[in-house]
Amino acid sequence: MGFESSNCKIFKKKLEASSLKFPTTMMLSISKSVITKFCSERIAKYAFEYAYLNNRKTVTAVHKANIMKLADGLFLESCREIASRYPSIKYNEIIVDNCCMQLVSKPEQFDVMVTPNLYGNLVANTAAGIAGGTGVMPGGNVGADHAVFEQGASAGNVGKQKFVERKTANPVALLLSSAMMLRHLQFPSFADRLENSVKRVILEGKYRTKDLGGNSTTQEVIDAVIANLE
Amino acid sequence: MAKRTLPILKQLLHRQHPLLSVPSRSVTYMPRPGDGAPRTVTLIPGDGIGPLVTGAVEQVMDAMHAPIYFEKFDVHGDMKIIPAEVVESIRRNKVCLKGGLNTPMGGGVSSLNLQLRKELDLYASLVNCCNFPGLPTRHEDVDIVVIRENTEGEYAGLEHEVVPGVVESLKVITKFCSERIAKYAFEYAYLNNRKTVTAVHKANIMKLADGLFLESCREIASRYPGIKYNEIIVDNCCMQLVSKPEQFDVMVTPNLYGNLVANTAAGIAGGTGVMPGGNVGADHAVFEQGASAGNVGKQKIVDRKTANPVALLLSSAMMLRHLQFPTFADRLENSVKHVILEGKHRTKDLGGKSTTQEVVDAVIANLE
């Protein structure tokens, strides 16, 4: 999954479960975090390939290898190995707690961030929040053969019942994700038109849903986007 | 006092609105895993200025670390046919970048440029003639794409001497070729948000030949109700081009008129040295200088190494988009446009005195 926030992109592995729960007794539950070389390598490969193809300068690996020495250590090893194949892209590592602190104080230092599953969820939502909120960040999921586009951060979030009833959900995130989808399908001109229109509507500021400080409904934002299409 | 104001000043400059500052497009794009794998492209330096300008492209691709490998082949205009290995390489790589190949005048020897297009059935030739900021021309707001049928028409190459002193030249127009070029023109307009397609013809004189071309265009136009379609006779078209070129958007033409219209449009928008273009067919694409593609330039330009590399650099940006490396294409185009805007390094055809190498160095220096 990747999305843009303060101009930084975050990738996290989707497949490996961060928690496999094994109830041993009524009073004890054990959670396993599984990290494999195979999955770590391929997410690192994707992150560096992404940085290369999109003229990004730095890839930062987020980890907690000082505590989870073997698991996150394996993740880091894979990242370092892939980094050596891209000498022109800067690579650095940051521990996840320091990362969260840096994100909220100096987010400009981050560019592309590659993370395991759980940290990615947290880092992505934090980064989305500081750059404007989860209602506006585009994103998606991609594998070797398929791609699923959805809202960038909090993708599984279905929102409060209040938003559904008052029809005030923010459509921007999914509109921008669908622009990503249009690029993925190789219709760049349509993607450009959509993105330009959405950005213009945001810039004008007349039609904004509640999470962006306005009081428009979803339909009003859509009408504005359609009116702004070239 | 200065110590306190400096950080405040820095903050103010930093807070400059992103849409008002230097235009660097931040585009959200999710590539598929493996999209960064390098692609092989056939490279034919050609004759005259060809090696100079293709050398420029090679240098810039290298500087960008673009995922492109060139497979270079030496082909010259005095060869009888294009060597089989070159054609095979293009069939394998699907994409080729070439400089001009010298075509001897008269004598019944066919042009190798033409041969390549026919061999690979590159039926559409595309030239984008547009104004560049910083390059003043008589007309502003020119943005014309000329789509030219590349395989038949007056270039069918069917000529014979009936009796000594009388030569017949056959112009062949087929429904099949007219339909597919019209289809390509409308599809191009649709995919690129263009509003109008204009068919250029001389059907008042060549009623059957150009009439067939127009019929095919009208039929395809009916399938695209969102795109305006109109027709213009080629002589009126030339006059309109030099007086009110802003009225044209996408133009679809048969072979010969396309050659003339493309060169005229290129000339009014800045010259054939800067317009990008290429040839495309169902399976292959060959990128070369947009207008006057077969032109190998004067010997003087070759000797002084003052050929304009801009056209081929922008065509190679088109090629990068074709190969689905849009960010590299953007970087290259922005750099070239920046160099043109600054105006410090320009070759003679744009009014400057720089050599090819100086322009290339400027482009490389301006890469983000």
Side-chain angles (χ1 to χ4, degrees):
Chain A
M1 170 179 148
F3 66 75
E4 191 166 18
S5 147
S6 281
N7 229 14
C8 93
K9 301 208 187 266
I10 300 178
F11 296 99
K12 63 181 175 100
K13 297 182 302 179
K14 271 289 204 188
L15 276 191
E16 295 183 344
S18 237
S19 58
L20 301 168
K21 294 192 172 58
F22 299 83
T24 50
T25 71
M26 297 266 273
M27 305 223 283
L28 175 63
S29 173
I30 297 180
S31 235
K32 271 197 195 177
S33 169
V34 178
I35 303 268
T36 59
K37 187 168 165 66
F38 173 69
C39 290
S40 302
E41 260 189 13
R42 66 182 184 176
I43 194 64
K45 268 189 204 150
Y46 187 81
F48 277 93
E49 192 178 51
Y50 182 94
Y52 172 59
L53 287 174
N54 288 278
N55 197 21
R56 295 281 186 164
K57 312 288 186 227
T58 318
V59 172
T60 307
V62 181
H63 66 98
K64 190 85 181 152
N66 48 344
I67 305 297
M68 286 177 271
K69 297 190 205 295
L70 287 186
D72 285 357
L74 178 56
F75 177 76
L76 282 187
E77 254 178 57
S78 313
C79 289
R80 284 173 197 153
E81 198 194 312
I82 307 293
S84 62
R85 302 184 203 169
Y86 290 86
S88 55
I89 298 176
K90 276 198 277 246
Y91 168 71
N92 49 39
E93 300 166 356
I94 189 167
I95 299 183
V96 61
D97 45 15
N98 185 23
C99 175
C100 292
M101 193 273 282
Q102 296 291 336
L103 263 177
V104 300
S105 50
K106 263 185 70 196
E108 322 76 64
Q109 60 181 299
F110 295 112
D111 193 357
V112 175
M113 306 172 83
V114 60
T115 85
N117 213 332
L118 179 63
Y119 312 147
N121 191 7
L122 311 179
V123 165
N125 280 278
T126 313
I130 51 174
T134 54
V136 296
M137 303 303 162
N141 310 277
V142 68
D145 309 304
H146 315 281
V148 172
F149 295 87
E150 44 188 4
Q151 190 166 297
S154 287
N157 188 2
V158 296
K160 297 193 199 134
Q161 188 57 27
K162 191 169 64 173
F163 293 137
V164 180
E165 281 160 16
R166 295 188 198 165
K167 297 191 168 33
T168 52
N170 196 345
V172 172
L174 205 65
L175 282 171
L176 291 176
S177 294
S178 63
M180 277 172 74
M181 178 188 75
L182 286 167
R183 282 216 173 76
H184 191 81
L185 295 166
Q186 284 150 54
F187 300 130
S189 212
F190 291 92
D192 281 345
R193 287 167 69 194
L194 178 49
E195 277 189 3
N196 288 341
S197 176
V198 170
K199 285 181 180 170
R200 209 170 293 138
V201 169
I202 294 178
L203 179 62
E204 277 176 7
K206 276 188 267 174
Y207 299 99
R208 286 188 182 170
T209 45
K210 188 146 183 267
D211 57 324
L212 299 181
N215 39 30
S216 304
T217 60
T218 310
Q219 192 57 47
E220 285 168 2
V221 179
I222 296 172
D223 293 335
V225 168
I226 293 177
N228 268 289
L229 284 170
E230 285 155 17
Chain B
M1 182 71 168
K3 269 194 194 162
R4 265 184 286 151
T5 53
L6 189 57
I8 300 173
L9 190 63
K10 278 192 181 158
Q11 246 198 2
L12 280 173
L13 289 171
H14 212 60
R15 237 186 272 142
Q16 202 183 18
H17 200 290
L19 285 178
L20 296 171
S21 53
V22 176
S24 78
R25 204 162 74 125
S26 173
V27 158
T28 314
Y29 170 60
M30 185 167 81
R32 293 171 180 78
D35 270 358
R39 295 284 305 267
T40 319
V41 171
T42 309
L43 179 66
I44 300 178
D47 299 317
I49 59 169
L52 258 183
V53 293
T54 52
V57 172
E58 281 181 286
Q59 283 182 55
V60 176
M61 290 292 170
D62 212 33
M64 280 201 296
H65 302 297
I68 306 272
Y69 284 134
F70 284 117
E71 224 177 10
K72 238 200 282 206
F73 287 101
D74 241 338
V75 180
H76 297 287
D78 48 11
M79 296 179 177
K80 284 273 177 351
I81 51 165
I82 308 248
E85 51 169 1
V86 180
V87 178
E88 210 239 287
S89 160
I90 304 180
R91 284 196 207 279
R92 192 176 47 236
N93 297 329
K94 309 261 184 264
V95 176
C96 168
L97 184 72
K98 71 182 265 285
L101 293 170
N102 208 355
T103 303
M105 217 68 81
V109 179
S110 74
S111 152
L112 286 185
N113 296 308
L114 199 52
Q115 223 186 73
L116 191 63
R117 291 172 201 151
K118 285 207 176 141
E119 177 87 36
L120 299 169
D121 200 22
L122 302 169
Y123 64 86
S125 160
L126 199 152
V127 184
N128 186 7
C129 307
C130 53
N131 276 128
F132 288 94
L135 196 60
T137 53
R138 191 171 297 205
H139 302 280
E140 302 296 323
D141 280 338
V142 179
D143 192 359
I144 303 175
V145 176
V146 181
I147 294 181
R148 164 193 172 192
E149 208 288 326
N150 229 356
T151 57
E152 55 169 24
E154 301 80 353
Y155 288 54
L158 301 166
E159 295 183 312
H160 60 269
E161 196 166 12
V162 182
V163 291
V166 180
V167 173
E168 263 185 1
S169 185
L170 289 179
K171 162 177 166 164
V172 179
I173 300 273
T174 59
K175 186 168 164 70
F176 175 68
C177 291
S178 303
E179 260 189 13
R180 65 182 186 174
I181 195 67
K183 270 190 201 149
Y184 186 80
F186 277 93
E187 194 178 46
Y188 179 93
Y190 172 58
L191 287 175
N192 288 278
N193 198 24
R194 295 279 184 163
K195 312 286 186 229
T196 318
V197 173
T198 307
V200 180
H201 65 98
K202 190 86 182 151
N204 49 343
I205 305 297
M206 286 176 269
K207 298 188 204 295
L208 288 186
D210 286 355
L212 179 56
F213 178 77
L214 281 187
E215 255 177 57
S216 313
C217 290
R218 285 175 197 149
E219 199 194 310
I220 308 295
S222 62
R223 302 185 203 170
Y224 289 85
I227 298 175
K228 275 201 277 249
Y229 168 71
N230 50 35
E231 301 167 354
I232 188 168
I233 299 183
V234 61
D235 45 16
N236 186 22
C237 173
C238 292
M239 193 274 282
Q240 295 291 336
L241 264 177
V242 300
S243 49
K244 265 185 65 192
E246 321 74 62
Q247 61 179 298
F248 295 112
D249 194 356
V250 175
M251 303 174 83
V252 60
T253 84
N255 215 330
L256 179 66
Y257 312 147
N259 190 8
L260 311 179
V261 164
N263 278 278
T264 313
I268 51 170
T272 55
V274 295
M275 303 301 161
N279 309 276
V280 67
D283 308 304
H284 315 279
V286 171
F287 294 88
E288 44 189 1
Q289 191 166 297
S292 286
N295 189 1
V296 296
K298 298 187 202 142
Q299 190 55 33
K300 186 170 69 175
I301 301 179
V302 180
D303 293 332
R304 295 186 197 166
K305 295 192 169 37
T306 52
N308 196 345
V310 171
L312 206 67
L313 282 170
L314 291 176
S315 295
S316 63
M318 278 171 72
M319 179 186 77
L320 286 167
R321 279 214 177 75
H322 187 82
L323 295 166
Q324 285 150 53
F325 299 129
T327 309
F328 290 93
D330 282 345
R331 285 168 69 194
L332 177 48
E333 278 187 0
N334 288 340
S335 176
V336 171
K337 287 183 180 169
H338 211 250
V339 169
I340 295 178
L341 179 62
E342 274 182 343
K344 276 189 267 173
H345 299 100
R346 286 187 183 172
T347 46
K348 188 146 182 266
D349 58 323
L350 299 181
K353 292 186 288 217
S354 304
T355 61
T356 310
Q357 191 56 47
E358 285 168 4
V359 178
V360 171
D361 292 336
V363 168
I364 293 178
N366 268 289
L367 284 171
E368 286 156 348

